[in-house]
Amino acid sequence: MELKQAMNQRKSIRSYTGEPVSQEQLDAILNAAYEAPIGMGRYDSIHLTVITNKDLLAQIDANAAQAFGNPKMHPLYGAPMLIVLSALDEVVTSDANVGITLQNMSLQAVELGLGQCLIYGAIRALNANPELVAKLGLPKGFKPRGSLVLGPTTEVYADRDVPQKHHFAMDVLD
């Protein structure tokens, strides 16, 4: 698959079969993360936590649902894997580094035909629960900043008709 096609077809998948992500697929996703261009070359400022433990996934899911005021919702959509990206606050480019790394992983998932969805709200809720954050075993100074759920899905990625001037406001300053 060409990069342009992966960018066009990428969409948030919120339906998963429950089957696990294979080690080969995970390796490809992680390699895409490692290829992200990190500001100032501070690769040591990003920490990835791959979560497949069903109990921990359920705790993170329930914590987010409670924070959103709807205990019946499932903000992780039943995905069998969550990759949490944590960063050091002291690094100015932390948010950009997390974002570009998530985008690389997301596009790799599209190429593999794996379902994926960027998850930020559940991470905000996670950060409000220090006991749950502690279960991630993060190195000192790291804070969860974003995440990606992954898993096999029955949904299919397909070409989208994207308007030339999508939904962004734009000014050109000469």
Side-chain angles (χ1 to χ4, degrees), residues 14-37:
R14 294 179 175 92
S15 172
Y16 298 89
T17 65
E19 294 297 314
V21 173
S22 74
Q23 187 62 50
E24 182 178 271
Q25 291 168 322
L26 175 58
D27 290 344
I29 298 291
L30 294 176
N31 282 331
Y34 304 149
E35 292 172 344

mmCIF file of all heavy atoms in Angstrom, residues 14-37:
data_model
loop_
_atom_site.group_PDB
_atom_site.id
_atom_site.type_symbol
_atom_site.label_atom_id
_atom_site.label_comp_id
_atom_site.label_asym_id
_atom_site.label_seq_id
_atom_site.Cartn_x
_atom_site.Cartn_y
_atom_site.Cartn_z
ATOM 1 N N ARG A 14 -13.780 1.446 15.623
ATOM 2 C CA ARG A 14 -14.315 1.300 16.975
ATOM 3 C C ARG A 14 -15.026 -0.040 17.171
ATOM 4 O O ARG A 14 -15.888 -0.181 18.015
ATOM 5 C CB ARG A 14 -15.259 2.468 17.263
ATOM 6 C CG ARG A 14 -14.528 3.799 17.304
ATOM 7 C CD ARG A 14 -15.467 4.955 17.569
ATOM 8 N NE ARG A 14 -14.742 6.196 17.724
ATOM 9 C CZ ARG A 14 -14.471 7.036 16.736
ATOM 10 N NH1 ARG A 14 -14.863 6.775 15.507
ATOM 11 N NH2 ARG A 14 -13.799 8.148 16.976
ATOM 12 N N SER A 15 -14.628 -1.029 16.371
ATOM 13 C CA SER A 15 -15.227 -2.358 16.444
ATOM 14 C C SER A 15 -14.123 -3.394 16.226
ATOM 15 O O SER A 15 -13.467 -3.378 15.187
ATOM 16 C CB SER A 15 -16.303 -2.483 15.355
ATOM 17 O OG SER A 15 -16.772 -3.794 15.277
ATOM 18 N N TYR A 16 -13.960 -4.267 17.197
ATOM 19 C CA TYR A 16 -12.869 -5.246 17.164
ATOM 20 C C TYR A 16 -13.397 -6.653 17.350
ATOM 21 O O TYR A 16 -14.386 -6.863 18.052
ATOM 22 C CB TYR A 16 -11.828 -4.900 18.243
ATOM 23 C CG TYR A 16 -11.211 -3.551 17.977
ATOM 24 C CD1 TYR A 16 -11.779 -2.394 18.499
ATOM 25 C CD2 TYR A 16 -10.112 -3.430 17.148
ATOM 26 C CE1 TYR A 16 -11.250 -1.142 18.211
ATOM 27 C CE2 TYR A 16 -9.571 -2.189 16.854
ATOM 28 C CZ TYR A 16 -10.153 -1.054 17.391
ATOM 29 O OH TYR A 16 -9.628 0.180 17.087
ATOM 30 N N THR A 17 -12.729 -7.616 16.726
ATOM 31 C CA THR A 17 -13.165 -9.010 16.801
ATOM 32 C C THR A 17 -12.813 -9.649 18.142
ATOM 33 O O THR A 17 -13.384 -10.674 18.484
ATOM 34 C CB THR A 17 -12.527 -9.850 15.684
ATOM 35 O OG1 THR A 17 -11.100 -9.903 15.898
ATOM 36 C CG2 THR A 17 -12.840 -9.288 14.306
ATOM 37 N N GLY A 18 -11.864 -9.072 18.857
ATOM 38 C CA GLY A 18 -11.403 -9.665 20.107
ATOM 39 C C GLY A 18 -10.184 -10.551 19.923
ATOM 40 O O GLY A 18 -9.547 -10.948 20.900
ATOM 41 N N GLU A 19 -9.868 -10.865 18.679
ATOM 42 C CA GLU A 19 -8.665 -11.661 18.401
ATOM 43 C C GLU A 19 -7.433 -10.822 18.739
ATOM 44 O O GLU A 19 -7.449 -9.601 18.578
ATOM 45 C CB GLU A 19 -8.626 -12.079 16.929
ATOM 46 C CG GLU A 19 -9.740 -13.028 16.529
ATOM 47 C CD GLU A 19 -9.663 -14.356 17.272
ATOM 48 O OE1 GLU A 19 -8.559 -14.933 17.355
ATOM 49 O OE2 GLU A 19 -10.699 -14.804 17.782
ATOM 50 N N PRO A 20 -6.347 -11.468 19.158
ATOM 51 C CA PRO A 20 -5.144 -10.702 19.509
ATOM 52 C C PRO A 20 -4.396 -10.190 18.274
ATOM 53 O O PRO A 20 -4.560 -10.701 17.168
ATOM 54 C CB PRO A 20 -4.294 -11.720 20.269
ATOM 55 C CG PRO A 20 -4.732 -13.045 19.749
ATOM 56 C CD PRO A 20 -6.199 -12.899 19.412
ATOM 57 N N VAL A 21 -3.587 -9.191 18.511
ATOM 58 C CA VAL A 21 -2.659 -8.688 17.513
ATOM 59 C C VAL A 21 -1.480 -9.667 17.492
ATOM 60 O O VAL A 21 -0.977 -10.042 18.554
ATOM 61 C CB VAL A 21 -2.173 -7.269 17.883
ATOM 62 C CG1 VAL A 21 -1.084 -6.787 16.950
ATOM 63 C CG2 VAL A 21 -3.359 -6.305 17.907
ATOM 64 N N SER A 22 -1.051 -10.097 16.316
ATOM 65 C CA SER A 22 0.064 -11.045 16.236
ATOM 66 C C SER A 22 1.384 -10.366 16.595
ATOM 67 O O SER A 22 1.502 -9.135 16.512
ATOM 68 C CB SER A 22 0.161 -11.643 14.833
ATOM 69 O OG SER A 22 0.688 -10.700 13.916
ATOM 70 N N GLN A 23 2.355 -11.154 16.970
ATOM 71 C CA GLN A 23 3.679 -10.601 17.295
ATOM 72 C C GLN A 23 4.280 -9.919 16.072
ATOM 73 O O GLN A 23 4.893 -8.852 16.182
ATOM 74 C CB GLN A 23 4.624 -11.696 17.806
ATOM 75 C CG GLN A 23 5.944 -11.150 18.303
ATOM 76 C CD GLN A 23 5.802 -10.204 19.487
ATOM 77 O OE1 GLN A 23 5.141 -10.525 20.474
ATOM 78 N NE2 GLN A 23 6.390 -9.001 19.398
ATOM 79 N N GLU A 24 4.071 -10.485 14.907
ATOM 80 C CA GLU A 24 4.578 -9.883 13.669
ATOM 81 C C GLU A 24 3.929 -8.507 13.429
ATOM 82 O O GLU A 24 4.610 -7.552 13.053
ATOM 83 C CB GLU A 24 4.301 -10.817 12.486
ATOM 84 C CG GLU A 24 4.827 -10.313 11.164
ATOM 85 C CD GLU A 24 4.562 -11.304 10.049
ATOM 86 O OE1 GLU A 24 5.417 -12.191 9.834
ATOM 87 O OE2 GLU A 24 3.496 -11.187 9.398
ATOM 88 N N GLN A 25 2.631 -8.413 13.657
ATOM 89 C CA GLN A 25 1.932 -7.137 13.498
ATOM 90 C C GLN A 25 2.424 -6.118 14.523
ATOM 91 O O GLN A 25 2.676 -4.955 14.189
ATOM 92 C CB GLN A 25 0.425 -7.331 13.623
ATOM 93 C CG GLN A 25 -0.190 -8.095 12.473
ATOM 94 C CD GLN A 25 -1.624 -8.518 12.755
ATOM 95 O OE1 GLN A 25 -1.980 -8.887 13.881
ATOM 96 N NE2 GLN A 25 -2.456 -8.477 11.719
ATOM 97 N N LEU A 26 2.563 -6.556 15.775
ATOM 98 C CA LEU A 26 3.047 -5.659 16.817
ATOM 99 C C LEU A 26 4.452 -5.166 16.480
ATOM 100 O O LEU A 26 4.747 -3.976 16.620
ATOM 101 C CB LEU A 26 3.041 -6.346 18.185
ATOM 102 C CG LEU A 26 3.638 -5.519 19.332
ATOM 103 C CD1 LEU A 26 2.915 -4.195 19.507
ATOM 104 C CD2 LEU A 26 3.628 -6.333 20.623
ATOM 105 N N ASP A 27 5.308 -6.056 16.010
ATOM 106 C CA ASP A 27 6.668 -5.651 15.639
ATOM 107 C C ASP A 27 6.644 -4.583 14.556
ATOM 108 O O ASP A 27 7.401 -3.609 14.615
ATOM 109 C CB ASP A 27 7.489 -6.858 15.175
ATOM 110 C CG ASP A 27 7.838 -7.815 16.299
ATOM 111 O OD1 ASP A 27 7.723 -7.432 17.484
ATOM 112 O OD2 ASP A 27 8.226 -8.963 15.983
ATOM 113 N N ALA A 28 5.771 -4.733 13.564
ATOM 114 C CA ALA A 28 5.659 -3.735 12.494
ATOM 115 C C ALA A 28 5.167 -2.400 13.051
ATOM 116 O O ALA A 28 5.674 -1.336 12.665
ATOM 117 C CB ALA A 28 4.727 -4.239 11.385
ATOM 118 N N ILE A 29 4.189 -2.436 13.957
ATOM 119 C CA ILE A 29 3.668 -1.215 14.576
ATOM 120 C C ILE A 29 4.766 -0.522 15.380
ATOM 121 O O ILE A 29 4.951 0.703 15.298
ATOM 122 C CB ILE A 29 2.462 -1.530 15.495
ATOM 123 C CG1 ILE A 29 1.297 -2.134 14.701
ATOM 124 C CG2 ILE A 29 2.034 -0.307 16.300
ATOM 125 C CD1 ILE A 29 0.595 -1.218 13.754
ATOM 126 N N LEU A 30 5.512 -1.298 16.159
ATOM 127 C CA LEU A 30 6.588 -0.712 16.967
ATOM 128 C C LEU A 30 7.704 -0.161 16.089
ATOM 129 O O LEU A 30 8.269 0.897 16.387
ATOM 130 C CB LEU A 30 7.127 -1.736 17.967
ATOM 131 C CG LEU A 30 6.132 -2.161 19.054
ATOM 132 C CD1 LEU A 30 6.726 -3.255 19.924
ATOM 133 C CD2 LEU A 30 5.681 -0.969 19.887
ATOM 134 N N ASN A 31 8.025 -0.840 15.005
ATOM 135 C CA ASN A 31 9.040 -0.320 14.083
ATOM 136 C C ASN A 31 8.598 1.007 13.488
ATOM 137 O O ASN A 31 9.409 1.912 13.301
ATOM 138 C CB ASN A 31 9.359 -1.336 12.981
ATOM 139 C CG ASN A 31 10.267 -2.433 13.479
ATOM 140 O OD1 ASN A 31 11.066 -2.240 14.380
ATOM 141 N ND2 ASN A 31 10.137 -3.606 12.897
ATOM 142 N N ALA A 32 7.306 1.138 13.191
ATOM 143 C CA ALA A 32 6.785 2.418 12.689
ATOM 144 C C ALA A 32 6.961 3.508 13.752
ATOM 145 O O ALA A 32 7.295 4.652 13.429
ATOM 146 C CB ALA A 32 5.320 2.285 12.295
ATOM 147 N N ALA A 33 6.751 3.162 15.014
ATOM 148 C CA ALA A 33 6.960 4.126 16.100
ATOM 149 C C ALA A 33 8.428 4.546 16.153
ATOM 150 O O ALA A 33 8.733 5.741 16.275
ATOM 151 C CB ALA A 33 6.541 3.517 17.441
ATOM 152 N N TYR A 34 9.324 3.577 16.036
ATOM 153 C CA TYR A 34 10.752 3.870 16.127
ATOM 154 C C TYR A 34 11.229 4.749 14.971
ATOM 155 O O TYR A 34 12.239 5.434 15.080
ATOM 156 C CB TYR A 34 11.574 2.587 16.142
ATOM 157 C CG TYR A 34 11.209 1.615 17.242
ATOM 158 C CD1 TYR A 34 11.339 0.253 17.052
ATOM 159 C CD2 TYR A 34 10.719 2.054 18.478
ATOM 160 C CE1 TYR A 34 11.001 -0.649 18.049
ATOM 161 C CE2 TYR A 34 10.379 1.157 19.477
ATOM 162 C CZ TYR A 34 10.525 -0.197 19.256
ATOM 163 O OH TYR A 34 10.188 -1.091 20.238
ATOM 164 N N GLU A 35 10.497 4.734 13.864
ATOM 165 C CA GLU A 35 10.873 5.526 12.694
ATOM 166 C C GLU A 35 10.355 6.964 12.762
ATOM 167 O O GLU A 35 10.648 7.772 11.884
ATOM 168 C CB GLU A 35 10.372 4.842 11.418
ATOM 169 C CG GLU A 35 11.111 3.545 11.145
ATOM 170 C CD GLU A 35 10.528 2.730 10.004
ATOM 171 O OE1 GLU A 35 9.375 2.988 9.589
ATOM 172 O OE2 GLU A 35 11.230 1.830 9.529
ATOM 173 N N ALA A 36 9.596 7.284 13.788
ATOM 174 C CA ALA A 36 9.059 8.644 13.918
ATOM 175 C C ALA A 36 10.197 9.641 14.129
ATOM 176 O O ALA A 36 11.139 9.370 14.870
ATOM 177 C CB ALA A 36 8.077 8.713 15.093
ATOM 178 N N PRO A 37 10.107 10.793 13.476
ATOM 179 C CA PRO A 37 11.112 11.830 13.678
ATOM 180 C C PRO A 37 10.843 12.576 14.988
ATOM 181 O O PRO A 37 9.878 13.319 15.102
ATOM 182 C CB PRO A 37 10.917 12.758 12.467
ATOM 183 C CG PRO A 37 9.477 12.593 12.105
ATOM 184 C CD PRO A 37 9.104 11.182 12.474
#
